[in-house]
Amino acid sequence: MTTPTMIDLFAGAGGMTVGFADEGFVPVLAVEWDRFAAATYAANWGEDHIIPGDITAVKRREIPRADLVIGGPPCQGFSNLGLKALDDPRNQLWREYMRFINTAKPKVFVIENVDRFSKSPEFDMLVNEVDHGLLRQYELSHGVLNAADYGVGQRRRRTIVIGSRVGKIELPAPTHARGGASGLRPWRTVREVIGELATRLDSTELPASKTVFFGEPMPGAFKGPDIHFGRNPRPFSLERYSYVPPGGGRFNVPTELLPRCWREKPTGTTDVMGRMRWDFPSHTIRTEFFKPEKGAYLHPQWVEARQQPGEKGSRFIKGDPQLSVNRVITHYEASLLQDFPHDYLWVGSKTAIAKQIGNAVPSGLARAIACQVKPFMG
Ligand SMILES: C[S@@+](CC[C@H](N)C(=O)[O-])C[C@H]1O[C@@H](n2cnc3c(N)ncnc32)[C@H](O)[C@@H]1O
């Protein structure tokens, strides 16, 4: 078998590329319009084959033939039901996608999208193109996969679609399960992923280094330890976090310490201000993982403070300030929970890098799909 080639569309920082490259696929083109994300991709995979621009501006002659196309257009939303036509102006990115498939003529394409993707008009449109339209040669498999079931230390549910014109390709079977059920390996835990990293942090800033990408100096390229920095939360915020035990969230914080919007919303959004558990995979890492009010992003190290003699029991137990780590996870920790390699390089501001991390497909999930697809590359 010759080395299979791939094109990564909407490539982001290249999370999906990591998994496929691990299985021997060679990237020949990537497209990404966020210049920092494109630069991160370039820092790790080379600047020679990434187009740092809008996919709609890529010329036909710039699209090579490839064995595989990975990455799918971001979903526009789920409210505009009934909007299924490929020629609708709002479906421009899907038209672009079809253009790439028709030009690169891959044997296989793999789309990753949000878990509700199969309920979206975009999905209906895709199926319609396979049944009657531009993708008639392809057979589809699709389903919602949880990254934790493929050895990633994070519960992240994503729709995966595999389209193949070289025989139907089933989705990969899980290799891991909660508690090691069904004879599978147990879910990878937060401890296995970030347990070895320093919990005390030396800096709250990125180093001042710059590198030129696409002719423009950009912050970076940063190594893992460079993005292992802390934040400067207000004492009031620290007080809030201190009440949250592993697996807990905003309901563990005394009411008087909560912002009004949460006090007035007594149910729902249970994972906000959440703390991870050492011996469980994390919740989904999103683009604002550095804000505890956005999810379960507090570091799992928390030891209950001993009560003082004579002190009455309280519903709100605090963490011991000496033995607990009262902060959110760092960018480095988030990148590892998203299954990026330790030596991955990062380009951009703090928020730009967080966006790249939160948007990525964990490489373990991509690797499992790559393993499934590879035998069809023949
Ligand atoms: C979900 S992220 C992709 C993550 C990537 N597959 C990974 O694993 O790291 C989607 C990406 O599409 C990019 N994007 C959205 N619209 C685009 C366009 N018109 N042209 C190029 N890139 C676009 C966004 O900047 C974003 O980085």
Side-chain angles (χ1 to χ4, degrees):
M1 183 168 72
T2 54
T3 312
T5 54
M6 67 172 166
I7 295 176
D8 192 349
L9 300 178
F10 310 97
M16 216 168 172
T17 284
V18 174
F20 279 85
D22 283 352
E23 288 303 316
F25 288 83
V26 174
V28 291
L29 177 68
V31 183
E32 170 55 54
W33 72 357
D34 174 317
R35 61 198 228 291
F36 287 142
T40 292
Y41 182 98
N44 291 282
W45 303 102
E47 206 175 304
D48 57 327
H49 66 272
I50 175 148
I51 299 180
D54 188 343
I55 196 166
T56 60
V58 178
K59 307 230 169 13
R60 191 184 164 87
R61 61 177 156 74
E62 294 177 294
I63 306 173
R65 293 286 286 253
D67 296 306
L68 174 73
V69 170
I70 57 174
C75 230
Q76 299 300 307
F78 295 84
S79 53
N80 48 357
L81 285 169
L83 224 195
K84 293 176 188 147
L86 192 56
D87 55 6
D88 187 294
R90 281 167 287 188
N91 283 329
Q92 187 183 22
L93 291 185
W94 283 95
R95 277 200 304 286
E96 285 301 318
Y97 189 77
M98 306 296 173
R99 180 169 75 98
F100 268 78
I101 300 291
N102 277 310
T103 312
K105 302 200 184 324
K107 296 181 177 113
V108 177
F109 63 82
V110 176
I111 294 173
E112 178 260 0
N113 217 303
V114 292
D115 56 355
R116 291 180 302 150
F117 176 55
S118 66
K119 309 258 180 322
S120 70
E122 285 92 340
F123 181 78
D124 289 347
M125 194 182 66
L126 181 69
V127 170
N128 192 44
E129 289 304 315
V130 168
D131 287 346
H132 315 288
L134 293 169
L135 302 178
R136 267 191 314 275
Q137 291 172 294
Y138 291 87
E139 287 180 277
L140 286 193
S141 302
H142 74 93
V144 176
L145 306 185
N146 184 347
D149 293 341
Y150 300 88
V152 176
Q154 181 195 163
R155 285 164 289 155
R156 186 181 189 92
R157 285 162 51 80
R158 281 291 184 272
T159 298
I160 300 295
V161 181
I162 304 179
S164 168
R165 62 174 175 80
V166 285
K168 188 166 179 183
I169 305 178
E170 300 299 338
L171 296 178
T175 51
H176 294 64
R178 183 176 186 160
S182 312
L184 299 176
R185 294 169 65 190
W187 273 350
R188 196 165 155 78
T189 66
V190 171
R191 188 190 302 280
E192 287 173 79
V193 180
I194 65 166
E196 300 283 298
L197 297 189
T199 52
R200 309 282 161 209
L201 307 171
D202 299 333
S203 169
T204 55
E205 295 304 325
L206 286 167
S209 58
K210 295 224 175 217
T211 308
V212 173
F213 290 98
F214 318 115
E216 183 192 343
M218 298 193 196
F222 302 116
K223 296 192 168 115
D226 298 332
I227 62 167
H228 197 44
F229 55 79
R231 290 169 58 79
N232 284 314
R234 291 168 305 155
F236 191 66
S237 301
L238 287 170
E239 178 72 4
R240 279 181 191 152
Y241 311 161
S242 70
Y243 283 99
V244 181
R250 68 178 176 114
F251 295 109
N252 299 96
V253 180
T255 314
E256 61 275 15
L257 292 181
L258 289 174
R260 219 174 90 197
C261 57
W262 288 357
R263 261 184 265 160
E264 289 169 0
K265 196 169 184 294
T267 57
T269 51
T270 46
D271 65 337
V272 299
M273 190 78 51
R275 189 178 294 281
M276 295 182 176
R277 285 183 276 171
W278 271 129
D279 294 312
F280 211 60
S282 74
H283 277 268
T284 302
I285 305 294
R286 298 199 176 86
T287 55
E288 292 191 307
F289 60 78
F290 50 89
K291 295 181 180 170
E293 64 276 17
K294 296 282 180 174
Y297 303 133
L298 291 173
H299 190 281
Q301 183 63 32
W302 187 91
V303 177
E304 188 180 316
R306 271 170 191 254
Q307 291 201 332
Q308 298 304 314
E311 197 180 18
K312 284 237 168 79
S314 157
R315 200 155 78 78
F316 300 105
I317 309 291
K318 272 186 112 169
D320 182 322
Q322 300 305 318
L323 301 174
S324 303
V325 176
N326 211 20
R327 62 164 173 82
V328 277
I329 51 165
T330 66
H331 283 46
Y332 189 29
E333 289 162 339
S335 76
L336 298 180
L337 288 166
Q338 272 284 56
D339 217 23
F340 278 99
H342 280 262
D343 58 357
Y344 214 67
L345 298 172
W346 298 96
V347 180
S349 62
K350 291 179 186 177
T351 47
I353 294 172
K355 193 167 150 198
Q356 295 165 34
I357 293 170
N359 268 337
V361 177
S363 61
L365 177 57
R367 217 164 18 248
I369 303 162
C371 273
Q372 198 74 352
V373 167
K374 202 174 162 187
F376 290 80
M377 292 293 114

